[in-house]
Amino acid sequence: MLKAAGAAAGAAGIGAGAGVGTTALASPAFAAGSAFAHPGLLHTRTDLDRMAAKVKAGARPYTAGFAKLTANRHAQSGWRANPQATVYRGAGSPQNYAVLYNDIHAAYQNALRYHVSGETAHADTAVAILNAWSGKLTSIQGSADRFLAAGLYGYQFANAAELVRDHGDFALGRAQELMRNVFHPVSDSFLHDHNGAVITNYWPNWDLTAIACVLATGIFCDDRAVVDRAVEYFKHGDGMGSVKHAIPVVHDDGLAEWVEAGRDQGHALLGVGLMGTVCEMAWSQGIDLYGYDDNRFLKGAQYVAKWSLGGDVPYTANTRKKGAIGGWSGSETAAGAAGVDPAMTRPIWAMIANHYTKRRGLSASYVTRAAAKAAPEGGGGDYGPNSGGYDQLGFGTLAFARDQERVEGAGAGAAPGADASGDASGGGARPQGVVSASASPAAGRDLAATGAEDMAGWAAAAGVSAVAGGLLLLRRRDRVRRGGAE
């Protein structure tokens, strides 16, 4: 029996939608006002225990996800770090940032492999990599791209370190100082002044990398004020990465426009992955950003998933000002959603799909289809040699697949900490039209069965061939093109 995220001591009260029928929805793991939970970034202790138990039992899709991890060259205990005193990213500098992201992904993958397999050699390797970097790195430099480096590799370093923070040989204090003094200041300064540019000069991804780093720093370093800064910016920040600027238009059909869809597919996928990362890290600490503003992120993720799979989506023309404050200026208009390649993917969907369908009991048909198509998700090293293939830590099929979380016999007044378990039941996939993403389960449906339409998606992750045969293709005008790799 797996415990729901809300089963930890000090859990927050049951969230929106509780009291429908006889079940209560999963809630964030820890109350927002309590002490920080560790591990408590992308993975909690409950998550890690679930992965280990499922793989040991030979359960799908976890075994496929773990096989993907063990096959990655970064997940080998023979990996040796190559730390640098200064990391450069961007034109006009001797770029060496690939060394950093390769080492961080090796640390993360070895640490995750240790928690699943129990093989201590992998924990030792992760610790050695992280200690080497915290003992040498003093600066992130380069062009404006230095903000991307600090944000991306800062949140990733913190996540790898969080997995080994209790290891006897891990230099925790030194790692915390690295986050506070090297990664965090660059990201925090970007949220404050945006490199001296007008507030809309930078697309949402720039803000989202910074938010992820600031939030990860606050949690890893037990700094409530830093966490609050990231959460406040996510909700109300002036830049394009705050949720209502990144997702500016919500339609009645339950889809919400992702503004960067007017730029290109790759950056829109990156943005969804980063926002999901921020939401998941916050959830681990009892802060529900996933559900903020009536699940606005779900509506935006559904939009990007449908569009990326080849479906038609609306787009409201967006004109943004560009330039430096007191300097050059201009503007740029995105008039419509960019073209897509349905074969393009990033390892971002399993985390999002599992949260909304399994924890919250909501329908997320397009996100689930994208997750099924991408499964089993890999990580850094599985998506090409360039930096874009290392923007997410990945391995969502292993890390985020979960049973339907529910509390039997609980009503609106259910006490926090109740045990929750069970799988969603139901038949194969049902062709769907547009599904509204509300804060409540679909009308008239038992939460225990909510998400039944997602089962074929997860079956695909387990190796069932129905997806290739077209079982999940949408009918009506949002039909998905079948070209490209599955």
Side-chain angles (χ1 to χ4, degrees):
M1 300 284 283
L2 293 177
K3 291 188 176 181
I14 301 300
V20 177
T22 60
T23 50
L25 301 177
S27 57
F30 293 85
S34 67
F36 288 97
H38 298 293
L41 286 172
L42 287 175
H43 314 303
T44 65
R45 173 56 56 194
T46 299
D47 295 331
L48 296 168
D49 289 347
R50 179 186 66 248
M51 295 178 222
K54 291 290 191 180
V55 170
K56 183 177 181 180
R60 295 178 175 181
Y62 303 89
T63 51
F66 187 60
K68 194 77 172 178
L69 173 64
T70 58
N72 193 300
R73 70 184 184 92
H74 296 77
Q76 311 310 312
S77 60
W79 189 279
R80 296 293 178 265
N82 182 21
Q84 308 291 310
T86 302
V87 165
Y88 298 92
R89 176 169 175 166
S93 60
Q95 297 190 87
N96 61 351
Y97 66 102
V99 176
L100 175 58
Y101 67 65
N102 274 281
D103 276 359
I104 290 175
H105 280 257
Y108 171 78
Q109 291 179 29
N110 272 279
L112 190 62
R113 185 169 178 177
Y114 158 70
H115 280 286
V116 176
S117 71
E119 298 172 275
T120 58
H122 294 289
D124 294 342
T125 297
V127 167
I129 295 168
L130 296 168
N131 284 349
W133 278 94
S134 68
K136 189 165 185 178
L137 181 62
T138 60
S139 180
I140 306 289
Q141 298 293 334
S143 65
D145 282 5
R146 70 188 183 278
F147 297 109
L148 298 177
L152 289 167
Y153 313 137
Y155 95 75
Q156 292 173 1
F157 183 94
N159 270 276
E162 184 77 352
L163 293 180
V164 295
R165 67 181 295 138
D166 294 330
H167 191 287
D169 294 330
F170 179 55
L172 174 60
R174 204 168 70 196
Q176 290 173 325
E177 288 302 305
L178 179 64
M179 289 302 302
R180 289 192 189 102
N181 298 333
V182 177
F183 291 113
H184 174 262
V186 180
S187 290
D188 191 57
S189 72
F190 185 82
L191 295 181
H192 277 286
D193 62 29
H194 290 84
N195 197 30
V198 297
I199 198 68
T200 56
N201 184 77
Y202 292 97
W203 286 100
N205 287 307
W206 293 76
D207 271 359
L208 287 166
T209 61
I211 295 169
C213 179
V214 171
L215 180 61
T217 300
I219 295 170
F220 182 63
C221 298
D222 295 299
D223 192 323
R224 177 65 57 187
V226 173
V227 170
D228 290 346
R229 161 77 170 143
V231 170
E232 174 63 18
Y233 197 96
F234 176 92
K235 293 179 177 179
H236 305 297
D238 292 331
M240 293 187 73
S242 61
V243 66
K244 293 182 182 180
H245 289 119
I247 310 171
V249 180
V250 179
H251 296 282
D252 291 339
D253 64 4
L255 297 182
E257 295 177 24
W258 193 272
V259 69
E260 210 151 358
R263 181 185 184 188
D264 60 61
Q265 183 184 8
H267 286 97
L269 291 172
L270 171 59
V272 171
L274 288 169
M275 190 171 285
T277 294
V278 169
C279 290
E280 186 67 22
M281 293 190 298
W283 179 270
S284 295
Q285 300 300 331
I287 305 165
D288 187 6
L289 299 182
Y290 276 120
Y292 178 71
D293 194 29
D294 193 27
N295 297 300
R296 195 180 191 97
F297 174 52
L298 169 59
K299 298 169 186 178
Q302 283 272 81
Y303 174 98
V304 173
K306 179 183 178 182
W307 167 64
S308 289
L309 290 167
D312 293 330
V313 293
Y315 189 89
T316 303
N318 178 277
T319 299
R320 63 190 186 94
K321 294 182 179 180
K322 300 171 61 178
I325 295 175
W328 70 275
S329 62
S331 65
E332 180 179 74
T333 298
V340 299
D341 175 3
M344 182 184 292
T345 190
R346 286 177 180 254
I348 62 175
W349 297 113
M351 176 173 63
I352 302 165
N354 274 280
H355 172 80
Y356 286 112
T357 66
K358 305 306 181 187
R359 282 182 180 148
R360 303 303 294 152
L362 300 176
S363 184
S365 56
Y366 301 118
V367 168
T368 302
R369 289 175 174 86
K373 187 172 183 179
E377 289 180 354
D382 291 321
Y383 298 90
N386 298 324
S387 61
Y390 294 81
D391 288 341
Q392 285 83 31
L393 290 169
F395 300 104
T397 305
L398 168 66
F400 301 109
R402 62 183 69 246
D403 296 330
Q404 192 80 32
E405 296 187 7
R406 68 185 191 270
V407 181
E408 295 292 353
D419 190 66
S421 63
D423 294 302
S425 60
R430 298 191 296 272
Q432 303 245 331
V434 174
V435 178
S436 176
S438 67
S440 300
R445 297 179 61 187
D446 184 348
L447 274 179
T450 298
E453 65 266 36
D454 305 319
M455 292 303 291
W458 303 122
V464 177
S465 61
V467 173
L471 181 61
L472 297 182
L473 291 179
L474 294 179
R475 294 173 182 172
R476 304 172 66 180
R477 70 184 182 90
D478 54 346
R479 183 177 300 273
V480 177
R481 293 196 298 271
R482 300 169 85 176
E486 291 291 325

